[in-house]
Amino acid sequence: MASFAQFGNDLYSGRRQIDFIGKRRRWYTLTAVLLVIAAIGLFGRGLNFSLEFTGGSEFRVPGVSNMADYDTRAKTATQTALKSSENVIVTKIGSNTVRVQVEKPKSGSADATDQVSTALAKEFKVSPTTVTSSYIGPSWGEQVRQKAIVALLVFLALLSVLLAVYFRTWKMALAALIALVHDLFFTVGVYALTGIEVSPATVIGFLTILGYSIYDTVVVFDKVRENTDEAMASGRRSYAQAANYAVNQTLVRSINTSVVALLPITAILLVGIFLLGPGTLLDLALALFVGIAVGTYSSIFIATPILVSLRSREPAMKDLERKATAYQRKQASALDEEEHTPGESASGVMEPAREKAAAQARTDRPRTRQIHPLAKRDED
Amino acid sequence: MLIAALFAGIGASAAWGNPKGQWTPKLGLDLEGGRQVILQPELGKGQTVNAGQLNQAVNIIRNRVDGSGVAEAEVTTLGSENIVVSIPGNPSKQILDSLAQSSQLLFRAVIATGQPQADQTPAPTLPGATPSAPATSAPTGTGTAKPSGSASAKPSSSVKAPSSSAKAAPSSTGKNDAFPAAFAAATGTPTGSGSGSAAPAASSTPAPTSAAPSGPPTLPGATGSASPSTTPGKPANASDQAWANQLVSRIWIDAGLAQTGETYQQLLQTVSCSNTNPKLGPLASTWQEVAARAPANEPSVGCSKDKSATFLMGPSEVSGDTITDATWGQTTNSAGIQTGEIAVNLTFNDKGKTQFANVTRRLVGLQGDQNRFAIIVDGQIISAPGTNDPITDGRAQITGGFTEAEAKILADQLKFGALPFSFKELSSDQISPQLGIDQLQKGIIAGLIGLLLVVFYSLLQYRALGLVTVASLLVAGVMSYGLVTFLGFANNFRLTMAGVTGLIVAIGITADSFIVYFERVRDEVRSGRPLRAAVETGWSRARRTIIISDAVNFLAAAVLYVLSESTVKAFAFTLGLTTLVDLVVVMLFTHPVLTMLARTKFFGGGHKWSGLDPERLGARGTTYAGRGRVTIADRKQAAAQGGTV
């Protein structure tokens, strides 16, 4: 663990820096590939919506005398009759009626409906004529969906305003939104690819991700903002470097946070896979696991690089970059080195020892120092 | 403190609450089961349901269910015309009934009032014969004088003039004087006081022989004794007494409540308000049900809520779909003091406002019963106050002897609009949870294991500081639990499986606040600050981050809560809740605790296991105590000195 603490220290002090921003084309490519895969899943396979969205068939088996273990029995009977392993919702109504809801046999396919009725009647030892079947509509109908989407759009609009006001630049809001859309798109894509059913519980999972993703991005951006202010004041590092430094400084936090958030979810996921089988719990845990992992990834590898791409074209930032380059060159030349350490080139942070040395070198140097290539020669 | 108060609240609710509060959170449909009601539309002959209407009904019912708190209910269609409503727990009958009611609100001008058919009277019956005049029974005292112009030698009509319209005038206006311009009025017993004498008119009339179905009901002037307009033919406006002589709409005949050729005046005399015995003639419930479906552009008859009077009313002039909002509360008198009477307050849109103004302007000029404006919900006259002044601001108030619960339900029903038709309960069953308790238990166990891992991890990362995290998480967990339990009591908030998982995740997010905070403090320590100063500067920097990120989450929660419905609404509620808990815990627990700990030798001295050991954090004990705001240069310098290890 000491090494992890050391790692944190080094990231903070700048002794060690990971170049997130400089290699942003690499992350963009990686992200693009991931998104293409998600899109293939989404538009190719499509999402597998659950009963609550599509409606389906409902069977009622009244007058059952032996209710022991009714849920597994009904489930098995239905799945066997349908020859598919789709999700079956079994509920007990009153004291002796079993209700089975499945998505597949829509009102149209009389055959399948009959098969299920017969299978259920046989399993529960009642007359097939008493088993009723009817079509049930979606409980997550058009209106619920529409309202949720409208609410989401309104939220995103308000969020953009809030972030733009807080960070005083709409570009941060835009970058955060892009990261957010990326997270949701990717997670939903995973669902499409794996064919796991999307139930209302899953949607709640998606919404939780939405909250987490923005939260995570905002935490990183807040540090970027702080570093930018410092950089603007000192002129010692460019915007890209300040942003990279911020990502490095918050990296330990990002790792810790995602580990802390992922630990309980992993536990639930494992229990879901090995003990419970498919169901609400697994649906949710998977959505959350993927979403939180991607959310952390996007804050670091997408949101911040995009922000830098957007902002480094601003005149003020270009100006800052010139100043920073000049300063850093001066430091390097003081040390009589042309090469920068990784930390210096990526984040504009000089290792304390080198900085000290540079300062020392400058004071030791005779007053008539070499003229810097960029400096104007004023005695001419 | 907060926690103590919260749990005191729960304790109180558990001890004295009604219905009793409980110490565990209320669970949702998927975990606890609940009641499932199948609703079937009540349709008249030849009426059919189309998919659009059914969907509209589902949406309205869903709104009504959600209106009673965050209920996590499920509303779907079943087959081609039924609706299934599943509500967690054991909802009261009142709530279930309210879902099925159409709640069609109409305002009709009163044309005449009458006395309801008394219960035990043998039915007027005899098919073929026009309903005879109600056989007396209890005409609220005072047989009294024949109403003025009534008797009216109409050939066909066995029915007496709408006496009351003529004479109740002075008394009823007098009664309503007391009310301010508003629409508050005492109606339940409209015939109260002096006007009582007028009502029994019919009973005192000579027995009818009539049986003249042929009687041309269109005869003008007929009964409208006191009617200002004796113009024959088309009624001039909705208050015109000529309506009384119009032929009844088919709907009454189809329902067996009237004969072909009967007039509304005759219909008024046969209305039953409390008959429950089918042998005695049409049931009171049938009357109300048919009245509810009566065409809005035709007159209608109905009973007052307390069953003491019947009304003949003109075509509907304002309808419930022009209502933009409905609230309930106590009425206040002119001095602004609450009177204790419960009212439902309505706000109309522009259309409704204009309609309302027009009608009330006309009614002000009329006398007696015709001055009254009946408010009808599903065929029942909730109240029929007199009109003293035109109401032009688009606001109305309904009073009618409501209890608080009734007023709340009515307000909710009106707010979300009327169902295209009323429903009746086809079946109502207790249903089992969809997910076994097994899922919940295993889920919770998994969550607990996960949290244990979190504890382990934070101890590893932050050493003793991890204990602060754990304690904070505990506080957050206990608070969330308490709030969820309390809101279950106060707001019918219910936890579904998704909610439980959401809470577990939320705790992870809460932990992030601490991590952000601790990392900032460590950063400050790395820069060489002494711990106490590091805690303060770290806090002031972390606070900004924590507040903005929580603000974002809260915004999400608020928007989703207001704009969406069903499960999403419940999710938004949970999110908002945990965000607030997060803020409260960090501000009021974690930070004070850390500040306190920084004063101890163990932490302040940067003990090896405190998690804040400057040496481990790469800073050497160089202190810059007393320095104010640190610029980057300061920190660089500090780092420069500390970094040469």
Side-chain angles (χ1 to χ4, degrees):
Chain A
M1 241 24 249
S3 64
F4 193 76
Q6 189 59 46
F7 179 59
N9 297 342
D10 290 352
L11 288 178
Y12 180 80
S13 65
R15 188 170 302 146
R16 187 189 307 199
Q17 290 289 298
I18 300 171
D19 193 3
F20 293 107
I21 305 294
K23 296 183 178 142
R24 55 180 181 266
R25 279 180 210 293
R26 189 182 298 173
W27 315 129
Y28 289 162
T29 318
L30 178 67
T31 307
V33 170
L34 287 179
L35 286 183
V36 166
I37 295 175
I40 290 172
L42 206 53
F43 299 111
R45 264 186 85 151
L47 285 172
N48 175 14
F49 284 107
S50 74
L51 180 73
E52 286 87 346
F53 294 95
T54 59
S57 293
E58 172 176 308
F59 301 88
R60 281 172 187 249
V61 192
V64 178
S65 48
N66 176 15
M67 288 294 285
D69 224 11
Y70 67 92
D71 44 354
T72 21
R73 283 161 63 201
K75 202 170 188 168
T76 321
T78 313
Q79 285 177 344
T80 321
L82 288 171
K83 298 185 189 69
S84 85
S85 58
E86 73 168 297
N87 208 4
V88 180
I89 300 173
V90 184
T91 325
K92 182 172 81 173
I93 296 184
S95 58
N96 62 358
T97 301
V98 175
R99 182 186 71 174
V100 177
Q101 294 176 318
V102 272
E103 193 185 334
K104 271 294 155 48
K106 291 276 166 50
S107 46
S109 61
D111 249 16
T113 312
D114 278 353
Q115 278 166 11
V116 176
S117 296
T118 321
L120 286 173
K122 205 170 141 199
E123 176 65 43
F124 290 100
K125 301 192 175 60
V126 296
S127 156
T129 48
T130 60
V131 178
T132 59
S133 69
S134 46
Y135 173 74
I136 50 165
S139 60
W140 260 69
E142 200 50 38
Q143 195 186 342
V144 177
R145 216 175 319 165
Q146 267 174 14
K147 282 206 171 177
I149 291 173
V150 168
L152 209 58
L153 292 179
V154 170
F155 163 65
L156 292 180
L158 287 178
L159 174 77
S160 316
V161 174
L162 176 73
L163 291 184
V165 169
Y166 177 77
F167 289 122
R168 299 203 187 80
T169 161
W170 57 268
K171 288 173 180 168
M172 271 193 167
L174 180 65
L177 281 191
I178 293 176
L180 172 67
V181 171
H182 163 267
D183 295 345
L184 281 182
F185 189 81
F186 185 75
T187 314
V188 175
V190 167
Y191 268 77
L193 277 177
T194 50
I196 296 176
E197 211 174 52
V198 175
S199 63
T202 326
V203 175
I204 297 306
F206 293 158
L207 290 174
T208 312
I209 293 167
L210 177 126
Y212 180 86
S213 165
I214 300 171
Y215 179 96
D216 200 62
T217 309
V218 168
V219 169
V220 175
F221 275 13
D222 205 42
K223 188 72 188 171
V224 173
R225 179 194 54 79
E226 195 182 306
N227 282 4
T228 314
D229 290 350
E230 284 174 358
M232 295 292 267
S234 71
R236 290 186 179 184
R237 62 180 72 109
S238 69
Y239 188 74
Q241 288 170 329
N244 196 52
Y245 191 33
V247 175
N248 276 287
Q249 283 179 314
T250 50
L251 190 62
V252 169
R253 187 232 49 123
S254 297
I255 294 172
N256 282 351
T257 300
S258 47
V259 167
V260 164
L262 284 176
L263 277 176
I265 296 170
T266 315
I268 295 176
L269 192 66
L270 292 178
V271 167
I273 293 173
F274 295 112
L275 290 178
L276 290 171
T280 317
L281 210 51
L282 191 59
D283 290 355
L284 263 172
L286 182 73
L288 291 174
F289 186 87
V290 175
I292 288 181
V294 176
T296 311
Y297 164 83
S298 73
S299 307
I300 295 172
F301 293 94
I302 298 173
T304 319
I306 284 182
L307 178 66
V308 171
S309 299
L310 284 173
R311 283 207 75 178
S312 39
R313 291 202 192 95
E314 286 175 24
M317 297 305 152
K318 286 202 159 149
D319 197 40
L320 176 65
E321 195 177 345
R322 266 194 300 278
K323 258 198 254 169
T325 323
Y327 171 79
Q328 285 161 16
R329 234 186 248 153
K330 196 176 78 186
Q331 289 284 75
S333 65
L335 287 173
D336 285 328
E337 283 175 44
E338 281 310 307
E339 289 294 298
H340 294 294
T341 61
E344 282 160 16
S345 54
S347 301
V349 198
M350 202 163 218
E351 262 175 54
R354 279 169 61 87
E355 190 171 26
K356 210 174 170 184
Q360 193 63 45
R362 243 177 294 140
T363 43
D364 291 350
R365 194 160 293 183
R367 269 207 152 254
T368 52
R369 56 193 163 103
Q370 283 179 337
I371 284 150
H372 193 278
L374 283 184
K376 260 201 189 151
R377 185 172 266 225
D378 42 3
E379 58 250 62
D380 280 355
Chain B
M1 281 291 280
L2 276 173
I3 297 174
L6 180 63
F7 278 89
I10 299 170
S13 74
W16 304 293
N18 185 29
K20 271 222 175 321
Q22 46 184 25
W23 285 99
T24 50
K26 283 192 178 173
L27 298 178
L29 201 57
D30 54 347
L31 296 173
E32 191 188 275
R35 184 153 285 273
Q36 185 190 53
V37 184
I38 300 182
L39 300 173
Q40 188 182 44
E42 290 184 319
L43 301 170
K45 269 189 199 133
Q47 244 185 312
T48 54
V49 178
N50 63 39
Q53 287 172 316
L54 201 62
N55 279 336
Q56 188 196 354
V58 165
N59 290 334
I60 292 169
I61 291 180
R62 186 181 298 120
N63 283 330
R64 288 184 184 173
V65 179
D66 285 351
S68 56
V70 192
E72 292 273 6
E74 246 181 59
V75 186
T76 63
T77 57
L78 178 72
S80 60
E81 60 176 31
N82 294 346
I83 292 179
V84 195
V85 184
S86 311
I87 302 178
N90 210 349
S92 70
K93 178 146 182 14
Q94 211 176 15
I95 289 181
L96 292 178
D97 286 348
S98 73
L99 297 181
Q101 278 166 17
S102 163
S103 301
Q104 181 76 49
L105 175 78
L106 295 175
F107 290 85
R108 292 174 186 263
V110 175
I111 293 174
T113 59
Q115 195 66 11
Q117 281 279 24
D119 273 339
Q120 270 71 30
T121 27
T125 60
L126 279 190
T130 35
S132 57
T136 72
S137 79
T140 48
T142 71
T144 66
K146 271 246 185 82
S148 51
S150 67
S152 66
K154 275 288 129 322
S156 63
S157 145
S158 64
V159 181
K160 285 312 128 211
S163 46
S164 50
S165 67
K167 47 182 315 181
S171 61
S172 79
T173 39
K175 197 171 72 165
N176 288 328
D177 282 347
F179 293 97
F183 208 51
T187 49
T189 54
T191 44
S193 63
S195 62
S197 59
S203 67
S204 59
T205 55
T209 32
S210 59
S214 57
T218 36
L219 275 186
T223 50
S225 50
S227 162
S229 69
T230 41
T231 42
K234 286 258 172 194
N237 59 44
S239 294
D240 197 329
Q241 303 228 343
W243 284 111
N245 299 318
Q246 298 272 319
L247 280 174
V248 297
S249 157
R250 274 228 67 82
I251 192 168
W252 303 96
I253 300 164
D254 287 343
L257 299 176
Q259 301 296 317
T260 313
E262 208 174 303
T263 63
Y264 279 106
Q265 183 60 55
Q266 290 165 315
L267 189 67
L268 174 65
Q269 301 299 342
T270 56
V271 176
S272 167
C273 291
S274 45
N275 181 23
T276 52
N277 183 350
K279 284 183 193 144
L280 299 177
L283 297 175
S285 58
T286 314
W287 278 102
Q288 193 186 325
E289 189 213 311
V290 177
R293 289 191 279 122
N297 57 359
E298 297 253 0
S300 180
V301 295
C303 289
S304 65
K305 199 175 155 208
D306 65 357
K307 304 178 169 50
S308 71
T310 56
F311 289 81
L312 170 60
M313 300 151 295
S316 161
E317 293 177 89
V318 185
S319 80
D321 55 17
T322 59
I323 291 177
T324 53
D325 194 20
T327 58
W328 63 279
Q330 287 196 14
T331 54
T332 49
N333 61 21
S334 50
I337 296 164
Q338 296 196 331
T339 57
E341 189 178 24
I342 307 290
V344 174
N345 306 305
L346 305 177
T347 313
F348 293 92
N349 64 16
D350 285 345
K351 184 178 158 213
K353 192 166 142 184
T354 320
Q355 289 172 336
F356 217 88
N358 290 342
V359 180
T360 45
R361 261 187 220 117
R362 189 187 73 231
L363 293 185
V364 167
L366 296 172
Q367 293 296 303
D369 279 333
Q370 282 185 291
N371 175 251
R372 297 166 68 178
F373 201 16
I375 301 161
I376 307 135
V377 175
D378 289 342
Q380 186 184 54
I381 291 135
I382 300 288
S383 74
T387 317
N388 295 341
D389 289 299
I391 295 172
T392 52
D393 62 352
R395 288 171 182 280
Q397 194 173 49
I398 311 176
T399 54
F402 297 122
T403 63
E404 287 193 6
E406 282 171 350
K408 179 180 181 333
I409 288 176
L410 182 63
D412 277 345
Q413 288 173 342
L414 296 180
K415 187 161 53 188
F416 298 123
L419 293 172
F421 22 71
S422 282
F423 287 84
K424 66 166 182 267
E425 271 182 28
L426 202 60
S427 71
S428 170
D429 299 292
Q430 204 60 37
I431 54 169
S432 70
Q434 289 164 5
L435 303 168
I437 208 68
D438 182 47
Q439 285 245 350
L440 179 64
Q441 275 171 354
K442 287 194 176 136
I444 287 180
I445 290 171
L448 285 179
I449 294 173
L451 287 180
L452 266 181
L453 290 175
V454 169
V455 169
F456 185 66
Y457 183 81
S458 48
L459 285 180
L460 205 65
Q461 275 289 305
Y462 296 107
R463 307 287 160 101
L465 205 53
L467 287 177
V468 180
T469 315
V470 174
S472 304
L473 284 181
L474 269 181
V475 172
V478 167
M479 263 183 82
S480 305
Y481 183 87
L483 274 174
V484 166
T485 307
F486 185 71
L487 288 170
F489 167 75
N491 217 0
N492 200 24
F493 176 73
R494 284 173 183 277
L495 267 185
T496 57
M497 199 67 205
V500 174
T501 327
L503 279 180
I504 293 175
V505 174
I507 290 178
I509 294 180
T510 309
D512 181 68
S513 299
F514 314 143
I515 294 174
V516 168
Y517 178 28
F518 294 161
E519 285 299 331
R520 287 298 179 118
V521 173
R522 283 177 146 193
D523 288 352
E524 299 302 321
V525 173
R526 281 173 184 140
S527 311
R529 307 187 141 240
L531 188 63
R532 272 163 74 172
V535 166
E536 288 313 315
T537 6
W539 171 243
S540 66
R541 282 156 186 267
R543 192 173 49 195
R544 276 188 65 132
T545 311
I546 293 171
I547 288 178
I548 182 67
S549 46
D550 275 346
V552 165
N553 263 358
F554 198 76
L555 178 73
V559 171
L560 288 179
Y561 184 78
V562 174
L563 291 181
S564 65
E565 47 187 42
S566 195
T567 332
V568 181
K569 205 183 185 88
F571 163 76
F573 197 80
T574 321
L575 181 64
L577 197 76
T578 50
T579 307
L580 286 182
V581 166
D582 178 21
L583 266 184
V584 168
V585 169
V586 175
M587 298 266 178
L588 300 180
F589 182 81
T590 314
H591 176 57
V593 165
L594 199 62
T595 315
M596 232 157 63
L597 287 180
R599 297 201 185 114
T600 63
K601 197 166 166 251
F602 180 75
F603 283 95
H607 188 276
K608 232 171 112 183
W609 293 104
S610 67
L612 290 169
D613 176 10
E615 209 148 323
R616 274 191 78 239
L617 294 173
R620 202 186 263 161
T622 10
T623 54
Y624 287 90
R627 190 66 73 89
R629 199 177 135 60
V630 207
T631 62
I632 185 73
D634 289 339
R635 278 211 258 160
K636 274 264 180 68
Q637 207 178 345
Q641 296 187 3
T644 49
V645 182

